[in-house]
Amino acid sequence: MSSLIDKIVSLCKRRGFLFQGSELYGGLQGTYDYGPMGVELKNNVKRAWWRANVYERDDMEGIDTAILMNRLVLKYSGHEDTFSDPLVDCRKCKKRFRADQVDPHEKCAQGGAHDLTEPRPFNLMFRTTVGPIADDANVAYLRPETAQGIFVNFKNVLDATNRKLPFGIAQIGKAYRNEITPKNFIFRVREFEQMEIEYFVMPGEDQAWHERWIADRVAWYHKYGIRPANLRQYVQHANELAHYAKACTDLLYRFFPEREEEAKQYDEVEGIANRTDFDLTCHTRGGKLVFADGREVANKDATMKQTYFDDKSKQHLTPYVIEPSGGVDRIALAFLMDAYEEQTLGEDKQRTVLHLHPDIAPVKVAVLALARNKPPIVEMARRIKAELQRSGRLRSMYDDSGNIGKCYARQDEIGTPFCVTVDHQSTEDQQVTVRHRDTMAQDRIAVGALERYLEERLLA
Ligand code: GAP
């Protein structure tokens, strides 16, 4: 029996959510292209996150920083020295593994067990050169996280907005990691998107804010339909923390329900870390980067001091940072998996349906013309689609491609909450049939009342 993730992979390809990157030329491992449905889904995930974390709060600013970063940013953040995974090679079959992810039961292609080398660090950042001369002086990196773009702009945003602590900066954008073993569809890829918040607080208030952010982020997943049983919190132990973090709670989603051991069914969808004043201390003139082993690098290159003037104490201080950091691709995958259902409707009758939250669903309403060879029906259906689309609030789709059962099945599979059917009767009584995705119930609604009817049910 195929796993849930395999079923999602197949649906994603069939219905145009996701394709292997560069598939035409045999693919490029660790990359995926979002198709017509996928781009809508992904944009909706990002919109729902931005809405909750920027628009609906009064303590947040947005930002959009460059993917290519000056090498010094990644030097002083510690990434140049420490952003690596342990790599091992099999001396017999030459396969490469992440040392902490080798399956002890896997057999070597040359027979017997793998004959592994000692682990050595492999830096995950993609290097490139900027400008026409490809030498070491012109090395730059594709950012491995969007966070650094926020940290190096802390002072710029502070000066431009006159914010007082606590306040946060949000960013959505691409990040790149040369993962040793990309796997599990879009769960671990080499090019992905992150949605990150750096929330700056007074030292001493960090723990309380950390707890509030964990609660807020959990509530966001629940609001958009993730079943509470499928989302867990995992508090990292001291020896698991990244070098910059004092505490971190991971939100784990049940990506692998088939795995025997329950704990292994869950994996990280988002991390919420307390990064203390680590980052602003690294990225400030006269500051320093302190590695986990105690080594220190003084920052002689930053052009500004990135501190905050506290009106109460009349002192300059370095804020602490709480960082909720999620991956768009993993979150989209979690939404797809949670929404997926194969329903048996009766003898020999089945349907596959995505019960996506309306805000996340790629298409909100499909307008179906019952007969494509009847101009009055086609004209009426096209007019209704155009009218529903006009406000920009309801992404609608026109379809006259075939029998109504097939149209419903296709829309169920992409998670469209409502289908509106224009039939022979409609041109006479100006009424249409509205079919609900989840219950399959049907209502007859006057065209004049349709937009309001749908908006009441679709827009939160
Ligand atoms: N700024 C902190 C940071 O980047 P992270 O745990 O390395 O923390 C945050 O990444 C999130 O980014 C993860 O929870 C995951 O959702 C996503 N992510 C990280 N690496 C990924 C990869 N290779 N493929 C897909 N998503 C990834």
Side-chain angles (χ1 to χ4, degrees):
M1 210 181 67
S2 54
S3 68
L4 179 54
I5 226 169
D6 289 339
K7 289 177 180 175
I8 298 289
V9 172
S10 156
L11 184 145
C12 281
K13 165 101 188 174
R14 190 167 69 245
R15 292 296 176 212
F17 281 89
L18 280 143
F19 311 115
Q20 171 68 59
S22 313
E23 186 180 355
L24 184 63
Y25 291 98
L28 179 66
Q29 212 197 0
T31 64
Y32 282 89
D33 296 335
Y34 283 76
M37 290 304 120
V39 66
E40 299 292 343
L41 174 87
K42 196 181 189 198
N43 284 343
N44 291 344
V45 170
K46 293 190 277 187
R47 203 174 291 124
W49 184 91
W50 196 264
R51 176 178 158 186
N53 294 301
V54 181
Y55 295 161
E56 291 178 358
R57 300 180 64 111
D58 298 318
D59 54 356
M60 293 289 300
E61 301 286 350
I63 197 171
D64 182 14
T65 70
I67 288 168
L68 282 171
M69 300 200 86
N70 187 319
R71 182 178 192 166
L72 293 173
V73 174
L74 285 317
K75 170 186 166 179
Y76 286 112
S77 67
H79 283 82
E80 234 184 15
D81 271 309
T82 61
F83 194 61
S84 51
D85 278 338
L87 174 78
V88 288
D89 294 287
C90 173
R91 294 187 186 90
K92 291 195 294 190
C93 69
K94 311 293 178 216
K95 227 172 136 181
R96 296 198 139 166
F97 306 92
R98 232 175 92 168
D100 54 343
Q101 289 180 354
V102 185
D103 176 356
H105 306 297
E106 189 178 305
K107 292 268 170 284
C108 175
Q110 300 299 316
H114 288 295
D115 176 14
L116 298 174
T117 57
E118 281 302 304
R120 61 186 192 285
F122 172 74
N123 195 296
L124 300 182
M125 286 196 295
F126 280 101
R127 265 164 79 110
T128 186
T129 48
V130 173
I133 301 167
D135 64 12
D136 264 6
N138 296 313
V139 164
Y141 296 105
L142 305 190
R143 64 183 178 199
E145 59 174 14
T146 59
Q148 295 305 321
I150 301 180
F151 293 130
V152 298
N153 278 290
F154 169 75
K155 192 74 169 80
N156 285 337
V157 174
L158 185 66
D159 290 348
T161 61
N162 278 323
R163 284 280 182 182
K164 300 284 170 220
L165 294 183
F167 78 96
I169 304 176
Q171 166 152 245
I172 300 178
K174 292 264 185 174
Y176 298 82
R177 296 182 190 178
N178 197 2
E179 297 282 355
I180 297 169
T181 43
K183 61 180 174 188
N184 292 321
F185 195 34
I186 50 171
F187 178 82
R188 189 177 306 286
V189 279
R190 291 185 168 130
E191 171 171 335
F192 55 99
E193 253 182 295
Q194 288 186 314
M195 304 193 283
E196 297 200 292
I197 293 162
E198 305 305 333
Y199 193 78
F200 301 99
V201 302
M202 290 294 282
E205 294 178 6
D206 49 312
Q207 199 172 325
W209 276 110
H210 192 201
E211 282 160 25
R212 279 177 70 167
W213 272 107
I214 295 166
D216 283 1
R217 292 303 302 138
V218 168
W220 184 83
Y221 284 95
H222 291 170
K223 173 177 173 187
Y224 286 104
I226 295 292
R227 278 166 276 194
N230 287 342
L231 193 72
R232 283 188 175 174
Q233 293 179 33
Y234 175 77
V235 180
Q236 289 192 12
H237 300 125
N239 62 348
E240 296 170 309
L241 291 169
H243 62 284
Y244 51 72
K246 163 178 158 186
C248 185
T249 294
D250 287 337
L251 304 185
L252 311 181
Y253 180 72
R254 198 160 170 250
F255 285 108
F256 310 105
E258 307 69 25
R259 289 186 180 164
E260 236 169 76
E261 205 180 314
E262 214 209 347
K264 294 208 168 136
Q265 296 175 357
Y266 292 78
D267 212 329
E268 180 186 332
V269 65
E270 171 159 349
I272 304 157
N274 180 344
R275 292 180 76 128
T276 69
D277 57 357
F278 180 92
D279 304 275
L280 290 180
T281 306
C282 300
H283 290 305
T284 194
R285 194 178 66 220
K288 65 183 177 201
L289 159 65
V290 183
F291 289 102
D293 60 11
R295 237 171 351 119
E296 293 187 0
V297 179
N299 189 330
K300 301 191 202 103
D301 296 303
T303 55
M304 281 186 274
K305 268 206 171 301
Q306 291 217 99
T307 49
Y308 172 83
F309 183 72
D310 177 32
D311 291 333
K312 253 200 209 148
S313 64
K314 305 280 178 235
Q315 300 225 334
H316 289 275
L317 57 87
T318 304
Y320 269 42
V321 178
I322 306 302
E323 180 197 61
S325 167
V328 180
D329 312 77
R330 274 191 204 177
I331 295 174
L333 180 59
F335 282 138
L336 285 170
M337 294 182 75
D338 228 83
Y340 184 91
E341 189 188 12
E342 286 171 9
Q343 278 182 343
T344 306
L345 302 175
E347 260 178 47
D348 296 338
K349 269 192 99 186
Q350 274 201 354
R351 69 165 183 157
T352 299
V353 54
L354 289 182
H355 300 284
L356 290 167
H357 185 286
D359 288 1
I360 303 296
V363 176
K364 317 300 175 199
V365 189
V367 183
L368 313 175
L370 195 63
R372 96 169 77 163
N373 57 355
K374 293 276 183 294
I377 292 181
V378 167
E379 211 174 276
M380 186 175 174
R382 283 197 182 281
R383 197 179 60 241
I384 291 172
K385 187 265 166 181
E387 277 164 14
L388 291 177
Q389 192 62 68
R390 189 162 301 141
S391 72
R393 291 190 294 263
L394 299 178
R395 167 77 175 111
S396 309
M397 178 188 254
Y398 171 79
D399 187 356
D400 61 9
S401 62
N403 85 33
I404 204 76
K406 282 196 179 149
C407 288
Y408 285 159
R410 193 165 42 243
Q411 297 301 331
D412 285 345
E413 275 206 325
I414 61 171
T416 306
F418 289 102
C419 288
V420 170
T421 303
V422 179
D423 55 27
H424 300 276
Q425 187 73 21
S426 304
T427 53
E428 284 163 28
D429 65 7
Q430 294 301 303
Q431 293 196 350
V432 288
T433 301
V434 179
R435 181 226 189 222
H436 299 231
R437 173 195 70 196
D438 295 338
T439 60
M440 294 184 287
Q442 301 196 354
D443 293 328
R444 197 76 184 159
I445 303 290
V447 173
L450 182 64
E451 187 163 357
R452 177 128 186 248
Y453 175 96
L454 293 169
E455 286 200 346
E456 277 173 6
R457 286 156 182 81
L458 285 168
L459 304 178

